[in-house]
Amino acid sequence: MSAALAAGVAPFEGDRAESIEMIRDSARGLLGTDMARVRALRFQEPGFDPALLRAMGEAGWIGLSVPEAAGGTGLGLGEGVALAEEVGRACAPEPVVALMLSAHLLAAAGEATVLPQLLAGEAVVLTAWQDRAHTLSPATSAEGARRFVPMAAGATHILWPVAEGGRVALHQLTRDQVEITTEQTQDGGHYGTVRPLPFAGHGPGTHIADDVGAALAEGLDRAALLTAASLLGGMEAAFTMTLDYLRTRQQFGKIIGTFQALQHKAADAKIQVALTRASVEQAAAALDDGLSGDAACALVSRAKARASEAGMAVQQACVQLHGGIGYTDQYDVGLHLRRTMVLAPAYGGANLHRRRFMELAPETEDEAA
């Protein structure tokens, strides 16, 4: 690891730590702990609760990192990571991270009509930036299909970035200006493939900005880090359930948590959770402290690569430690495994971010030694 990354970042302290804890408490109060809601919304469209989404907007979630001058809350990634953790812990299907990305772009573009509706949770504005898997680069075709738009069936507006000539133009389309086809995901949600209806002129919908390239790159990195935090929240929730099970389930007249083989698997999972938390929180603190450029991107990639890989390993271990009941759809630990399968590749999977980390922060021979 490079010297800059090895230096470490001080944890959040004092008033900032209290603010972050208040975000967590507020999120837990709004999301609740009843997984029946999550199950009831699966395998249907739009797949999330519009009323709860409005409540999230009223609570300031969607505009958490949007500057106050643009109508947001103006808080940092430390608060955003805490919020995303709780969303992951609750397995909430509402596309909070995707909406935060759209809010970031609209604020950067200076858009003042749809942005207030989005921040209030009244408009569902999703960004269709991706035309293929395993990429962080925006699409270059104005007319081609965009893929992997989360919970797209509920969209009221679509943001349509187009990379050309070294710039990324931003267009905005309403729901009646696009065709959306959906494909179910393992967790009962869906991804949408979005195609603009035939248009005349220089681009689809309404052209709202000439170049949001820097804002999009920053927004995608933020979304990747928030997704890593959601994976972390899901890991911790599943691991807590698993520890409770190991402490109470009996077999052959003994608590199964006393079996050494199971203790070893649980210890490995706990280490993965702890390492993921360290990576996610260090990245959030560093970016809030002003770190930018390649060093910031490297920290984000390290966190997302670890969260994606550790998330799958921990969730699989939790299912296995539950035995047969862990594989049933009625048991909550299975919901977290399915959600992890969807979040792990979102905004770049482990392999993509591991490659990017090595490109941006390669180890020198001295450091490797």
Side-chain angles (χ1 to χ4, degrees):
M1 183 183 305
S2 71
L5 295 182
V9 176
F12 298 114
E13 297 177 345
D15 292 343
R16 185 76 187 280
E18 292 181 11
S19 171
I20 290 173
E21 194 58 35
M22 288 176 64
I23 292 286
R24 291 186 188 279
D25 291 342
S26 173
R28 290 169 184 167
L30 187 56
L31 293 168
T33 58
D34 186 5
M35 288 293 193
R37 181 187 84 88
V38 177
R39 286 190 168 85
L41 291 167
R42 294 189 303 165
F43 304 114
Q44 58 180 304
E45 295 180 356
F48 58 86
D49 182 356
L52 182 58
L53 193 62
R54 287 192 295 272
M56 292 174 175
E58 292 170 0
W61 292 13
I62 299 170
L64 196 70
S65 298
V66 171
E68 292 184 63
T73 311
L75 298 178
L77 275 169
E79 288 81 2
V81 159
L83 173 62
E85 272 187 55
E86 298 309 320
V87 171
R89 194 184 309 277
C91 249
E94 288 71 25
V96 178
V97 172
L99 296 177
M100 293 173 77
L101 169 61
S102 296
H104 177 76
L105 285 179
L106 288 176
E111 201 281 339
T113 302
V114 175
L115 178 58
Q117 300 173 42
L118 169 59
L119 296 181
E122 296 170 356
V124 180
V125 185
L126 301 173
T127 302
W129 60 274
Q130 189 174 6
D131 60 359
R132 64 191 187 280
H134 311 303
T135 183
L136 289 174
S137 300
T140 58
S141 170
E143 301 180 22
R146 305 294 174 87
R147 304 177 62 195
F148 311 116
V149 181
M151 312 307 278
T156 60
H157 299 75
I158 296 290
L159 296 185
W160 196 265
V162 181
E164 54 184 359
R167 300 185 303 175
V168 180
L170 185 63
H171 304 265
Q172 181 176 277
L173 299 91
T174 56
R175 179 62 182 84
D176 59 359
Q177 293 177 314
V178 297
E179 175 187 77
I180 298 177
T181 56
T182 61
E183 182 176 356
Q184 288 183 345
T185 52
Q186 292 95 334
D187 62 347
H190 65 269
Y191 277 137
T193 297
V194 183
R195 296 175 177 84
L197 296 177
F199 57 89
H202 299 290
T206 302
H207 178 86
I208 61 174
D210 291 330
D211 187 11
V212 294
L216 179 58
E218 181 185 21
L220 291 176
D221 263 21
R222 287 171 174 263
L225 184 57
L226 294 177
T227 302
S230 289
L231 285 163
L232 172 60
M235 273 189 262
E236 289 195 326
F239 187 62
T240 298
M241 281 189 278
T242 301
L243 289 182
D244 289 343
Y245 183 79
L246 293 176
R247 290 168 180 148
T248 56
R249 178 75 168 92
Q250 291 193 23
Q251 195 173 51
F252 308 117
K254 294 184 178 180
I255 299 295
I256 64 172
T258 62
F259 298 160
Q260 193 172 60
L262 301 188
Q263 290 177 349
H264 289 169
K265 185 175 284 290
D268 289 342
K270 184 175 182 178
I271 290 171
Q272 291 298 325
V273 172
L275 291 173
T276 301
R277 174 167 294 284
S279 293
V280 169
E281 291 189 344
Q282 181 184 1
L287 269 63
D288 280 348
D289 200 39
L291 187 69
S292 60
D294 287 353
C297 293
L299 277 179
V300 169
S301 282
R302 187 179 69 173
K304 183 57 167 65
R306 177 168 290 284
S308 293
E309 198 164 72
M312 288 302 303
V314 170
Q315 298 293 354
Q316 289 170 349
C318 289
V319 168
Q320 292 168 1
L321 286 167
H322 276 85
I325 192 173
Y327 289 90
T328 64
D329 188 62
Q330 292 75 27
Y331 202 71
D332 288 350
V333 72
L335 292 180
H336 285 289
L337 172 61
R338 293 175 177 86
R339 180 58 52 83
T340 297
M341 293 170 70
V342 175
L343 293 181
Y347 302 105
N351 289 339
L352 184 155
H353 279 286
R354 189 178 294 109
R355 287 196 303 270
R356 192 176 78 149
F357 176 83
M358 290 307 300
E359 291 170 359
L360 298 176
E363 294 181 343
T364 67
E365 292 183 4
D366 290 340
E367 288 168 341

